[in-house]
Amino acid sequence: MAISEQKQSFQLHLQDLTNRNASFLETIYALANGHLGVRASNPLQGNLRLDEGMSGLFVNGFYDLSHITYGESYAGYPENNQTIAQLPDPRYLVIEVDGERSDQTTFATRVVDKNLDMETGLLNELFEITTPSGKILQLSLSTFASQADDGIYCVSYTIRPINFSGAVKLYKQHPYIDQVFTRDGDIRAVSRNNILDRQFLNADFPAMQITTQRSQLGLVLMWRYLGEDSLVKFDRSDGMPKYVMDLDLQQGLAESFDFGYSVGRIHSLMDVAMNHTQYLKNANAHLEHHSFSTLFTESAHKMQEFWHNSDIRIDGDPETQKGIRFNLFHLHQSAGHDGKTSIPAKGLTGAGYEGHYFWDTEMFMLPAFIYTDPQMARALLTYRYHTLDEARRQARDFGLDGGAMFAWRTINGMEASPYFPAGLAAVHINADIAYAVAEYVQVTDDQDFLVKMGFELILETARFWQRFGSFGIDGPQGGKFVINKVTGPDEYSAMVNNNYYTNRMAQHNLRLAVSYAKQLKKSHPSKLEELGVTEKELQSFTHIADSMYVPFDKELGVKMQDDGAFNMEIWPFDQTPRDNYPLLLHYHPMRLYRHQVNKQADTLMSDLLFPADQDIEQLKRDFDYYEPLTTHDSSLSRPIFSILAHRILAHHKAYRYIAESILTDLNNSQGNSQDGVHVGNMGASWMEMTLGVAGMIRADRGLEFHPHLPVQWSALTFKIRYRGSQFEMHITRNQAHFSLIEGDQVTIYCDGQEVALSSKAPVKRMMTVNLTEK
């Protein structure tokens, strides 16, 4: 692909999209930086009317509570919903022409163009605005969420009269409405409201303290004009602090104004109330004496660092190239990096799933960070460590005398799912977190994290399995360790006995605890004493792991999803209308639970995570059995099938899954991108390129690659960090070329051939492997 084509693939123009729905565009063009996110809404909207979109600012981890009402409430049920707060839109602007104001009467607004430069993070938009009297203006916006300072969001306005000359007044103020109503009717969306308390602060610029009513959280935000123009005046005469711009515009000529927002950190309500002066001073320091251009330059430099380390280049397939870069862009900007927040399932682009964190982070998003940005990966795992005490308390509430039980969906660490069969019963999340911790440690060799946080996470989740499961007493489970009444990854099956994925992951979790305990016994024995680890406990872990029951159908030669799955009738796919997908929106859960039908990859997830568990023939049998049962109603599903299709050498099928999954949000394939992007799918698209096309497997001897390039592509290029080194892999039809970028040396394997790269001699920094036909 030519350089100009590669540059173009960083640009997302409005004409690239067939869907022009307002809410959809707000999501696709949303900007974020891990701390804050802003939807690309109509800047005159402000009133948050759903028929015109859903504007707003989201702060990662800033949520309120609302009481959950049950028809029948049992012990241990979650008491409160946790819902990310939808804050005032920083893009909001009021225009006044001939005494008519856009916040008091309807100004027709048409989107003319939007273009997101993903390489720098700059969004340019053009709107055509028509007043009730027929006067037409063009309003251009340039915005970015700073990647250099995650408290900053900047917006530049340019206004131009098209068919008149005369007075125009602009007001840069806070929207009047604080009560936010979100879309109902889809269980993947959110129907609760946030009613926030707002207090304007005494300052020479608009500033306020925003607090939640029940979660008792607060933050300070403020905005400043970033120029020196005397046309811009600060005014607070009517109690609404604002900037006012009195303009005398000439037809066809434009005026521009730049503003910067500073959104502070989250604190307790009492802390903010007592220290808002200091927090306001801190917020102002982020913007004072800065211009839009200098702030943008700093942010763009950080974006370039991200692309330098994380870009994936596809030659020969422009559509997939743009799709993967779009996914990486949103994955990067969605991740909390303060160790106290994680990645909401919808990123910071909307209120879908209420801003909750799921297993998606560890199993679908974290791998990309582990192998490209280990510092970010550590921060995401640190969030889990900070919620470990809540997980311990939840295990006690569940009747266990030890161990930790992590919440299925949460913001603050407490369970927020009111429907436990598809929530709290998905206990595999404990083993998912342990798996992610081990993957991070083994790839980065971060022993400091292992000692301070990682081992404790692995240990406490292993203790959970020891207490939660039991030894079977008869049948095929006799003498085996069983784990009953759980829900696996497939949410169209619930409360089953011995979900294969759950049991296999628990087995791995227990063995990890034993392995790392033996390691720390030599290097940090005091850590084992601190955590009360005994030899008897480790022997118990080993015995349970060795005795773990994993259901298998000998007649079919297929791993069973659970004990009873193969006894159920297969879902009547041929009688199901296409419009009835996703099934969860059209059929009662009890109907789904009584059939063999999968929302997403379940047993096949274990085939993905433990490649050494089976040979290619076993993998084919598993794949062929479960593929026709899977609806892919979850955006997490197709990437897993893509990777496994590569492993069974079904490359044409693998590419079909890639083409569908990578464009999930750009094509609105799941039908709910208006509520936010699918960040888990975006992380999984990185896995499709590396674990799938490149065939990357982390084996005992190190990283192995078994690449096969789709016939639609001419090359694939990406970078990997592994044990302190960084190397680039460039795959063509017949060769794989490796280059050492950073570090002293690294040894990897490609199609069975050892690739030893070293910085000691130029000739050893690069190596090419001729690929065998598959």
Side-chain angles (χ1 to χ4, degrees):
M1 186 183 292
I3 294 297
S4 59
E5 292 176 325
Q6 278 291 331
K7 282 288 185 181
Q8 182 61 29
S9 68
F10 281 107
Q11 308 293 316
L12 184 65
H13 293 273
L14 187 63
Q15 56 263 34
D16 295 330
L17 304 171
T18 57
N19 189 337
R20 302 295 174 86
N21 174 271
S23 293
F24 172 77
L25 293 179
E26 289 174 3
T27 293
I28 296 302
Y29 288 102
L31 298 177
N33 58 21
H35 175 55
L36 61 88
V38 181
R39 287 171 65 84
S41 59
N42 174 1
L44 303 191
Q45 188 170 299
N47 55 11
L48 307 169
R49 288 180 296 184
L50 295 182
D51 58 334
E52 297 181 1
M54 186 179 66
S55 63
L57 161 71
F58 297 95
V59 174
N60 199 355
F62 191 66
Y63 68 95
D64 204 2
L65 302 172
S66 59
H67 184 69
I68 300 175
T69 301
Y70 299 96
E72 296 181 15
S73 182
Y74 292 90
Y77 274 22
E79 296 179 359
N80 294 298
N81 300 296
Q82 304 161 32
T83 305
I84 193 168
Q86 203 165 344
L87 304 179
D89 183 8
R91 296 159 54 92
Y92 182 61
L93 185 70
V94 175
I95 299 177
E96 180 180 337
V97 181
D98 296 336
E100 295 178 308
R101 290 173 51 122
S102 59
D103 60 340
Q104 297 173 358
T105 187
T106 300
F107 280 37
T109 305
R110 181 175 68 90
V111 178
V112 178
D113 191 27
K114 288 178 183 278
N115 179 45
L116 172 61
D117 180 1
M118 294 180 285
E119 190 170 21
T120 63
L122 184 68
L123 173 62
N124 290 308
E125 301 165 276
L126 178 61
F127 299 88
E128 183 181 270
I129 299 167
T130 304
T131 72
S133 61
K135 292 184 175 180
I136 301 174
L137 306 99
Q138 280 189 346
L139 178 65
S140 301
L141 269 70
S142 293
T143 55
F144 67 92
S146 176
Q147 306 301 312
D149 183 336
D150 66 7
I152 292 177
Y153 175 84
C154 292
V155 54
S156 176
Y157 302 98
T158 299
I159 191 161
R160 176 185 289 108
I162 301 302
N163 64 351
F164 73 99
S165 298
V168 174
K169 186 175 282 191
L170 306 180
Y171 302 91
K172 183 59 182 163
Q173 65 184 52
H174 170 72
Y176 286 106
I177 295 179
D178 294 319
Q179 186 168 358
V180 178
F181 296 92
T182 48
R183 193 169 67 90
D184 203 354
D186 185 336
I187 60 176
R188 300 168 296 177
V190 54
S191 58
R192 280 171 283 281
N193 307 325
N194 295 133
I195 302 177
L196 305 173
D197 293 323
R198 177 198 65 196
Q199 176 185 342
F200 289 109
L201 302 177
N202 185 24
D204 295 330
F205 42 79
M208 57 186 154
Q209 167 187 307
I210 295 181
T211 55
T212 58
Q213 293 190 344
R214 293 197 62 200
S215 61
Q216 297 285 283
L217 298 176
L219 55 78
V220 169
L221 67 81
M222 49 79 63
W223 60 99
R224 289 188 67 109
Y225 175 57
L226 298 179
E228 302 294 334
D229 199 322
S230 60
L231 292 175
V232 181
K233 306 290 186 183
F234 175 63
D235 175 44
R236 60 183 310 150
S237 58
D238 61 355
M240 174 70 77
K242 65 179 76 68
Y243 286 106
V244 181
M245 289 142 277
D246 250 320
L247 310 176
D248 185 11
L249 297 178
Q250 299 300 308
Q251 182 176 346
L253 300 181
E255 289 280 0
S256 297
F257 306 95
D258 301 338
F259 293 89
Y261 275 75
S262 182
V263 181
R265 315 315 295 187
I266 302 169
H267 301 279
S268 70
L269 184 152
M270 185 62 68
D271 188 6
V272 171
M274 294 180 64
N275 299 290
H276 64 255
T277 301
Q278 182 60 47
Y279 291 140
L280 180 59
K281 182 179 179 181
N282 294 344
N284 185 43
H286 290 260
L287 294 174
E288 196 172 21
H289 309 307
H290 289 283
S291 68
F292 184 98
S293 61
T294 58
L295 291 170
F296 172 66
T297 298
E298 293 171 358
S299 177
H301 177 70
K302 283 294 183 180
M303 279 303 303
Q304 289 167 357
E305 288 183 9
F306 161 72
W307 289 116
H308 172 75
N309 293 312
S310 304
D311 188 23
I312 292 178
R313 175 171 171 166
I314 299 170
D315 293 344
D317 188 346
E319 187 176 43
T320 304
Q321 174 67 91
K322 183 166 291 189
I324 190 65
R325 282 181 171 151
F326 175 78
N327 291 352
L328 292 173
F329 176 80
H330 272 288
L331 177 67
H332 168 70
Q333 68 173 8
S334 298
H337 45 257
D338 57 3
K340 300 177 182 178
T341 54
S342 186
I343 308 178
K346 290 288 194 175
L348 295 169
T349 66
Y353 291 115
E354 303 186 70
H356 291 166
Y357 316 134
F358 294 78
W359 74 310
D360 305 26
T361 300
E362 283 75 23
M363 303 314 294
F364 299 93
M365 307 180 215
L366 197 69
F369 292 112
I370 289 175
Y371 285 97
T372 64
D373 188 354
Q375 185 176 352
M376 183 73 80
R378 175 170 172 149
L380 293 169
L381 289 170
T382 298
Y383 160 78
R384 290 296 189 184
Y385 183 76
H386 284 157
T387 64
L388 182 55
D389 284 341
E390 287 294 347
R392 288 189 178 105
R393 278 191 285 270
Q394 184 157 272
R396 306 304 176 272
D397 290 343
F398 215 65
L400 307 182
D401 63 358
M405 185 173 181
F406 281 92
W408 175 244
R409 57 186 297 174
T410 188
I411 296 176
N412 63 10
M414 300 178 68
E415 182 59 64
S417 173
Y419 185 62
F420 76 87
L424 193 58
V427 292
H428 63 81
I429 191 171
N430 293 300
D432 300 333
I433 292 169
Y435 185 100
V437 168
E439 187 76 1
Y440 169 76
V441 171
Q442 290 164 16
V443 170
T444 65
D445 196 29
D446 187 347
Q447 297 298 313
D448 178 73
F449 175 79
L450 174 67
V451 173
K452 291 180 178 177
M453 292 177 270
F455 176 68
E456 192 171 353
L457 286 167
I458 292 172
L459 175 68
E460 288 298 285
T461 48
R463 285 170 169 169
F464 167 82
W465 300 115
Q466 181 190 43
R467 291 158 171 80
F468 186 74
S470 60
F471 282 91
I473 56 176
D474 54 28
Q477 301 92 343
K480 293 288 187 177
F481 193 80
V482 297
I483 304 175
N484 294 327
K485 303 305 177 187
V486 302
T487 299
D490 169 37
E491 294 175 11
Y492 289 171
S493 306
M495 305 301 293
V496 300
N497 293 339
N498 296 304
N499 170 255
Y500 189 100
Y501 173 81
T502 300
N503 287 22
R504 181 64 181 91
M505 289 291 283
Q507 181 185 57
H508 180 66
N509 193 166
L510 290 157
R511 287 175 173 162
L512 286 175
V514 174
S515 175
Y516 282 118
K518 290 179 179 179
Q519 175 184 322
L520 294 180
K521 186 176 182 180
K522 298 177 181 178
S523 61
H524 296 81
S526 61
K527 189 65 181 181
L528 301 186
E529 295 176 11
E530 174 190 332
L531 298 176
V533 179
T534 66
E535 190 61 34
K536 181 179 179 181
E537 181 178 45
L538 297 179
Q539 290 174 358
S540 174
F541 288 171
T542 299
H543 178 54
I544 292 171
D546 291 344
S547 305
M548 187 67 69
Y549 173 68
V550 285
F552 185 85
D553 188 295
K554 293 182 180 179
E555 183 176 342
L556 295 175
V558 173
K559 301 185 182 78
M560 295 171 60
Q561 184 165 316
D562 57 73
D563 278 354
F566 286 13
N567 296 325
M568 294 191 295
E569 183 181 356
I570 292 176
W571 181 266
F573 293 100
D574 58 345
Q575 302 172 30
T576 305
R578 187 63 253 174
D579 291 345
N580 281 12
Y581 292 87
L583 300 182
L584 78 165
L585 299 183
H586 298 90
Y587 300 97
H588 194 285
M590 286 299 294
R591 185 173 178 185
L592 297 171
Y593 297 163
R594 292 186 292 108
H595 287 85
Q596 288 191 66
V597 54
N598 286 9
K599 180 183 178 185
Q600 64 200 80
D602 190 300
T603 306
L604 293 180
M605 276 293 294
S606 69
D607 287 355
L608 171 77
L609 299 176
F610 303 105
D613 277 11
Q614 62 278 311
D615 58 21
I616 190 171
E617 294 305 319
Q618 178 65 57
L619 183 55
K620 284 180 179 178
R621 289 194 297 272
D622 292 343
F623 187 94
D624 290 344
Y625 185 86
Y626 287 105
E627 185 185 30
L629 300 178
T630 306
T631 64
H632 307 295
D633 284 348
S634 167
S635 67
L636 304 175
S637 187
R638 286 186 176 87
I640 304 307
F641 278 81
S642 167
I643 297 166
L644 294 177
H646 271 294
R647 290 186 184 173
I648 63 173
L649 309 182
H651 298 301
H652 293 291
K653 183 176 288 188
Y655 179 77
R656 190 186 76 234
Y657 278 121
I658 288 175
E660 293 172 351
S661 64
I662 279 185
L663 300 176
T664 291
D665 280 301
L666 290 178
N667 288 343
N668 197 15
S669 302
Q670 300 297 121
N672 65 336
S673 292
Q674 65 270 24
D675 299 315
V677 297
H678 298 76
V679 194
N681 167 272
M682 292 170 161
S685 67
W686 180 92
M687 297 165 64
E688 288 182 272
M689 300 298 104
T690 54
L691 278 63
V693 176
M696 184 173 78
I697 292 174
R698 188 183 53 75
D700 290 341
R701 63 178 179 175
L703 291 185
E704 296 181 359
F705 293 90
H706 305 277
H708 184 280
L709 199 69
V711 296
Q712 294 84 352
W713 304 353
S714 56
L716 171 69
T717 308
F718 58 87
K719 293 175 183 173
I720 292 290
R721 289 193 180 275
Y722 184 68
R723 298 212 158 224
S725 295
Q726 184 188 48
F727 63 90
E728 181 179 84
M729 183 176 185
H730 178 71
I731 307 168
T732 61
R733 185 76 53 227
N734 302 310
Q735 292 184 326
H737 182 74
F738 297 87
S739 304
L740 184 65
I741 307 299
E742 291 181 15
D744 295 330
Q745 60 184 19
V746 64
T747 298
I748 49 188
Y749 301 85
C750 183
D751 273 6
Q753 183 173 339
E754 182 179 284
V755 178
L757 304 175
S758 173
S759 62
K760 295 181 179 179
V763 70
K764 295 183 178 181
R765 295 189 70 94
M766 296 179 290
M767 184 172 178
T768 298
V769 175
N770 293 322
L771 302 178
T772 57
E773 184 66 29
K774 300 182 182 67

